[in-house]
Amino acid sequence: MTRDTDVALGKTKKEDIYNRVDLINKSDASLYLSIHANSFTSGDIKGAQTFYNPSNDINRDLAITMLEKVRSLDPSNNRVAKSMTGKYLLDHVNVPGCLIEVGFITNMEDLRNLTDEAYINDLAMLISIAINEVYKR
């Protein structure tokens, strides 16, 4: 865990992300998850999505499986796991993993869900199930 409060790990965004990557790389972690709540200028955009660096098949499998599981909470979510390079965290972490955007805080439905303890517990369980499923293969 790089942090458990909404406090940056550096004075700038760049310093923050460098520190996160450094913490992950110096840890004994078997995998990493970068969990975020997204935002957008339009309140109409919603849904969870995952992003992964294509350099490792486990990254892809984890991102795809995780999104499949999480989408069960919102069957209208048609987002897909996306391969991405050019993001410092995805490109420089030395262990397998992915980034998950759990929803949009600028969308009222997503925001309502992301502030509901039962929904958060379901989301955490589905993320855990996805991890277990990928690592049992």
Side-chain angles (χ1 to χ4, degrees), residues 29-82:
S30 300
L31 76 112
Y32 79 93
L33 293 178
S34 186
I35 304 172
H36 301 266
N38 213 339
S39 67
F40 194 67
T41 54
S42 168
D44 295 336
I45 306 301
K46 68 182 216 104
Q49 187 164 22
T50 55
F51 299 91
Y52 65 94
N53 183 297
S55 66
N56 184 324
D57 287 344
I58 294 174
N59 296 344
R60 184 196 68 235
D61 292 349
L62 184 61
I64 290 169
T65 303
M66 189 171 303
L67 188 57
E68 286 172 358
K69 300 296 181 202
V70 169
R71 275 197 319 233
S72 70
L73 293 172
D74 178 9
S76 70
N77 182 354
N78 59 2
R79 294 182 173 280
V80 297
K82 287 193 177 178

Side-chain angles (χ1 to χ4, degrees), residues 67-131:
L67 188 57
E68 286 172 358
K69 300 296 181 202
V70 169
R71 275 197 319 233
S72 70
L73 293 172
D74 178 9
S76 70
N77 182 354
N78 59 2
R79 294 182 173 280
V80 297
K82 287 193 177 178
S83 170
M84 180 183 285
T85 57
K87 291 288 183 189
Y88 188 82
L89 184 127
L90 293 175
D91 291 344
H92 292 91
V93 170
N94 295 330
V95 295
C98 68
L99 183 150
I100 180 168
E101 296 282 0
V102 293
F104 285 79
I105 59 173
T106 48
N107 175 275
M108 291 311 295
E109 183 181 347
D110 278 0
L111 180 60
R112 195 169 29 258
N113 287 336
L114 294 171
T115 56
D116 179 273
E117 188 173 342
Y119 181 89
I120 294 295
N121 287 335
D122 289 345
L123 185 63
M125 179 61 72
L126 291 167
I127 288 171
S128 174
I129 289 168
I131 292 167

